[in-house]
Amino acid sequence: MKKTIIFKKFLENFDKDNKLLKYLTNSEIESLNRLPSFAKIKDTRFSKESTIDSVHYSWFIPMLNIYSNKEASLFLLSLKKQNRKSLQNILGLEDIENDLKASVKSFLKDLLLRSLIKKEDSLLPIDFLFDSKLNKLLFLSKNSLVKLIDFLGMYDLAKELKFIVEKKKLKKIYSYLKEDEKKILKKILHYKEPFSTKRINIEKYSHDKQKLRNALHRCGLLRLSYALSPESIDLIWYVCHTLDIGRGNYIFKESRAKKQTQASDIITEEILKIINNIKEKQ
């Protein structure tokens, strides 16, 4: 994808009459057209500051643990207030006077960003990602993404319920669900998914609410990973870093393990329906 972006830049600079396009295939031209013009680069939603502020604070913990408490507290001064408070509570750091110069804060933010992106790698600005149905995920907060993951787990629960015959166990499982999850489940209860998933034997968790919810949440995480598997590494990065480091690392690992093309198309449509459902309730 990055080669396509570089080529797009080259064409805009040296082939303003589009004479070279006749040498490209239709699919190559479509790929170029899906990218925004570099003339819009000044309007892009990308900066070191905005990227750092959009990352969930938990991703900074491994780096901050390397430094002394005093040094770590200085790094926190470069973060937005909400993230600063959360990290202070988790790491037991004191609130120090915020008297750092803007240039120093910028330097500290650069170090934090480099702890998340390898020096030899690059991250595309959000506005320069390829068109994708799943780009809608970029506009969800961490809490909305977690809710989406829980909703995705309902598709696995719908499959599992077909194997449970005891009404007592069914009633118990339903009691563990939130009201909006029950509504989603009701809509998809008789939905026949055209691909198979590994059984989780939800019946064994029927006496433990937290274990059952954790199992369904893992199913949702795996589904989101499958949906993202054919997508660009940049889109996956943004989604994973909106989530906390635990969920994000799991999704990143699973999405990069193997492309789940068939499952991805189907789960993507499920995700879009859920996103619309979430927006309606906001």
Side-chain angles (χ1 to χ4, degrees):
M1 179 172 63
K2 293 179 175 65
K3 290 180 180 178
T4 307
I5 292 166
I6 293 170
F7 187 51
K8 171 101 173 181
K9 177 66 173 173
F10 171 83
L11 290 176
E12 287 193 4
N13 286 349
F14 303 107
D15 186 39
K16 297 185 185 298
D17 297 327
N18 296 326
K19 292 180 180 179
L20 295 178
L21 292 183
K22 64 182 179 182
Y23 298 106
L24 303 178
T25 65
N26 289 335
S27 62
E28 288 170 336
I29 293 173
E30 287 175 7
S31 293
L32 286 169
N33 289 338
R34 286 202 300 270
L35 286 172
S37 169
F38 274 80
K40 299 178 181 177
I41 189 68
K42 292 182 180 178
D43 300 322
T44 186
R45 290 184 290 117
F46 179 81
S47 68
K48 176 170 52 186
E49 288 74 20
S50 63
T51 303
I52 285 292
D53 287 343
S54 68
V55 170
H56 190 268
Y57 63 83
S58 59
W59 288 91
F60 302 124
I61 293 175
M63 180 189 177
L64 293 175
N65 279 332
I66 297 173
Y67 293 88
S68 67
N69 286 356
K70 186 176 181 180
E71 291 169 329
S73 293
L74 289 175
F75 275 101
L76 295 194
L77 294 180
S78 67
L79 299 176
K80 63 182 182 182
K81 188 175 180 180
Q82 183 181 348
N83 286 351
R84 190 188 314 157
K85 290 295 182 183
S86 297
L87 286 167
Q88 281 174 343
N89 292 335
I90 291 172
L91 300 176
L93 301 175
E94 293 183 8
D95 196 1
I96 61 176
E97 189 176 347
N98 192 350
D99 57 356
L100 291 183
K101 292 182 179 179
S103 58
V104 177
K105 288 184 180 181
S106 180
F107 173 73
L108 293 175
K109 283 189 175 184
D110 192 56
L111 290 178
L112 287 170
L113 195 57
R114 281 291 148 212
S115 74
L116 304 177
I117 307 170
K118 294 180 181 178
K119 197 171 183 178
E120 64 272 16
D121 293 337
S122 58
L123 182 67
L124 287 175
I126 288 177
D127 286 342
F128 278 79
L129 299 181
F130 274 113
D131 284 343
S132 168
K133 291 180 178 179
L134 290 181
N135 282 354
K136 287 188 175 183
L137 293 171
L138 299 170
F139 299 94
L140 296 183
S141 66
K142 186 251 186 179
N143 289 339
S144 292
L145 278 173
V146 171
K147 183 180 284 289
L148 180 143
I149 290 165
D150 282 331
F151 283 170
L152 283 175
M154 295 301 103
Y155 283 87
D156 289 272
L157 179 57
K159 292 181 178 182
E160 291 289 319
L161 291 179
K162 296 170 185 176
F163 297 97
I164 302 175
V165 293
E166 291 184 42
K167 289 185 177 181
K168 188 177 180 181
K169 285 185 177 180
L170 284 171
K171 188 175 181 180
K172 195 75 171 175
I173 289 170
Y174 270 94
S175 72
Y176 297 154
L177 304 180
K178 298 174 183 176
E179 288 305 313
D180 50 5
E181 291 169 347
K182 290 177 184 177
K183 289 178 182 178
I184 291 283
L185 183 60
K186 185 177 180 180
K187 288 180 181 179
I188 63 173
L189 202 53
H190 302 293
Y191 166 65
K192 292 184 179 180
E193 207 166 43
F195 68 90
S196 58
T197 52
K198 186 178 179 181
R199 282 209 60 199
I200 53 174
N201 297 312
I202 205 76
E203 203 170 356
K204 65 184 178 184
Y205 303 121
S206 61
H207 297 295
D208 192 317
K209 178 180 179 178
Q210 197 53 54
K211 285 184 178 180
L212 182 137
R213 292 198 61 84
N214 288 345
L216 291 176
H217 194 72
R218 282 194 299 273
C219 290
L221 287 169
L222 192 58
R223 279 179 176 267
L224 182 53
S225 304
Y226 284 177
L228 287 169
S229 63
E231 299 292 336
S232 72
I233 188 73
D234 303 275
L235 173 56
I236 296 171
W237 191 96
Y238 282 114
V239 174
C240 289
H241 285 78
T242 301
L243 290 163
D244 56 88
I245 191 170
R247 293 182 177 97
N249 272 330
Y250 179 87
I251 290 173
F252 193 87
K253 179 182 176 183
E254 292 297 331
S255 65
R256 304 303 291 167
K258 181 182 178 182
K259 286 186 179 181
Q260 304 285 345
T261 309
Q262 183 198 13
S264 173
D265 291 341
I266 295 161
I267 297 172
T268 293
E269 294 306 316
E270 296 170 357
I271 288 172
L272 295 178
K273 290 178 183 177
I274 291 171
I275 289 176
N276 289 334
N277 186 281
I278 292 173
K279 284 183 177 179
E280 286 174 5
K281 295 182 178 181
Q282 286 180 341

